[in-house]
Amino acid sequence: MKQNEETILVTRSSIPDLYEYIDEIKSIWETHWLTNMGEKHKKLEYELKKYLKVDNITLFTNGHLALENILAGLNLKGEVITTPFTFASTTHAIVRNGLTPVFCDINKEDYTIDVSKIEKLITDKTCAIVPVHVYGNICNVKEIDNIAKKYNLKVIYDAAHAFGVKINGKSVANFGDASMFSFHATKVFNTIEGGAVCYKNSKLEKTLNDIKNFGITGPETVEYIGGNAKMNEFQAAMGICNLRHLNVEIEKRRKVVEKYNYRLKNVKGIKLNKIPSNIETNYAYFPVIFDGYKLSRDEVFEKLKEHNIIARKYFYPLTNSHKCYKERFKCEETPIAEYISDRVLTLPLYADLDLKIVDKICDIILE
Ligand code: T4K
């Protein structure tokens, strides 16, 4: 097979037409207002509230700080139940808040938290659950809600991958006490870097706005030991432009996923991501599990690489086995997460990915 001349990476940022962006940022040259919750910031917040159908949203400079700040804003203490099959950010945000992550295993179907294992992990120190809508696959929100009510726990979803996803027609942003979205360059919707938190309790708005701005609450008053996690005007302008094209981008992604599914379905040893009929997905990632296939995950990865196709092992290794946590947590406690993490490969997926390249990727895998 001929090698691909162009390198194909796991994703490629969606960007608007250059002149559309220039048009959006023109007014910044008149106002000289570059950051600190300016006009673009306000406009994006307004547009996102409409898009996500939520009452409360706060923007951040990235998704990670959005998660760190909502955990801080809720003033949590003690243990937090979460999963290790995620990006380092989820666990780091918990630990950097002085909280102790307690790892729950994932389920084999959609790789989200196994709700049947949560209750066993609850102690008198448990204050919250941080489940992850990994790949945009939605956790069992109903059962998580039941458990949280029973034990009086907060639920903060890491919805970094789930922007725009709907459950029975309802935006995913409406579940739990709060949901964090990432607007990083690699996401379905990006603001270059960026993130947001949507939340139920409107009183959190002031707290979040204060702690993302050094804890400043007045011209001469600093009430919290906050940091700096503000989204700037150029990020917000990128978001305003990208949001206009989001539905078209998602539709293009759908076509790529459809092609992959068509080529790879019913192949022995290859497991594809299933989207339940009540979920309107955003086609964020294309995870494939190689389990009993003629090639291992690592062999498929290498084979694709020989053809300049760079898939990624999201999420390997598990966060509880990262070097920085090695002495503290044991990944054997989450065997399903370990099993999936050893077998998963996320294939290239982005709106403008040529369907001929998708065919070629499938040919290489199936060859
Ligand atoms: N929670 C979860 C579950 C997350 O997955 C993430 C982030 C977070 C929290 C934290 O949210 P943020 O603070 O990031 O908003 C990437 C992203 O940087 C990261 O946002 C994402 N998850 C993670 C899953 O993937 P890397 O280290 O794999 O990125 P990198 O630089 O290798 O880029 C991947 C590919 O994306 C490249 O091969 C090409 C493409 N790309 C990359 C960049 C930077 C572009 O097309 N344009 C770009 O500007 O982490």
Side-chain angles (χ1 to χ4, degrees), residues 45 55-60 66 68-76 154-156 176-179 197-212 224:
E45 245 178 21
D55 294 330
N56 304 303
I57 191 167
T58 300
L59 304 183
F60 288 89
E68 261 195 44
N69 280 280
I70 182 66
L71 295 177
L74 287 167
N75 201 17
L76 301 172
K154 296 280 182 214
V155 179
I156 304 96
D177 294 279
S179 295
V197 181
C198 298
Y199 40 93
K200 281 223 171 86
N201 183 353
S202 54
K203 286 193 189 133
L204 277 170
E205 184 176 13
K206 185 172 167 1
T207 315
L208 290 175
N209 278 329
D210 292 345
I211 54 178
K212 77 176 185 186
Y224 308 95

Side-chain angles (χ1 to χ4, degrees), residues 38-54:
E39 284 310 312
K40 302 291 167 194
H41 185 284
K42 284 189 197 120
K43 185 170 165 188
L44 181 63
E45 245 178 21
Y46 173 77
E47 297 290 343
L48 287 174
K49 268 189 193 173
K50 267 200 314 191
Y51 186 86
L52 291 169
K53 297 194 171 58
V54 291

Side-chain angles (χ1 to χ4, degrees), residues 8 23 35 56 121 146 149 233 238 326 361 364-365:
I8 301 295
D23 207 40
T35 186
N56 304 303
L121 300 172
N146 288 340
K149 279 202 182 102
E233 292 292 275
M238 183 63 109
K326 217 153 192 158
I361 292 170
I364 296 166
I365 294 171

Side-chain angles (χ1 to χ4, degrees), residues 14 188 245-254 351-352:
S14 293
V188 172
H245 307 286
L246 185 62
N247 291 345
V248 175
E249 294 287 294
I250 291 178
E251 179 53 20
K252 287 188 186 169
R253 283 173 169 268
R254 187 186 68 73
D352 289 329

Side-chain angles (χ1 to χ4, degrees), residues 106-204:
I106 58 169
N107 72 69
K108 242 181 169 169
E109 297 316 307
D110 61 14
Y111 328 120
T112 63
I113 194 162
D114 182 342
V115 289
S116 70
K117 294 183 181 152
I118 296 177
E119 283 194 82
K120 284 198 276 290
L121 300 172
I122 295 174
T123 69
D124 55 2
K125 296 199 190 81
T126 311
C127 59
I129 312 175
V130 176
V132 184
H133 297 311
V134 66
Y135 307 132
N137 289 349
I138 302 308
C139 302
N140 185 340
V141 288
K142 204 166 162 217
E143 190 50 32
I144 292 170
D145 191 43
N146 288 340
I147 296 170
K149 279 202 182 102
K150 185 167 162 192
Y151 294 93
N152 194 24
L153 305 175
K154 296 280 182 214
V155 179
I156 304 96
Y157 284 104
D158 180 332
H161 304 168
F163 183 80
V165 178
K166 289 186 188 141
I167 313 170
N168 297 321
K170 191 171 169 186
S171 164
V172 75
N174 289 299
F175 295 91
D177 294 279
S179 295
M180 175 281 283
F181 297 98
S182 162
F183 303 152
H184 183 261
T186 52
K187 298 298 185 291
V188 172
F189 166 71
N190 84 75
T191 58
I192 310 172
E193 291 265 5
V197 181
C198 298
Y199 40 93
K200 281 223 171 86
N201 183 353
S202 54
K203 286 193 189 133
L204 277 170

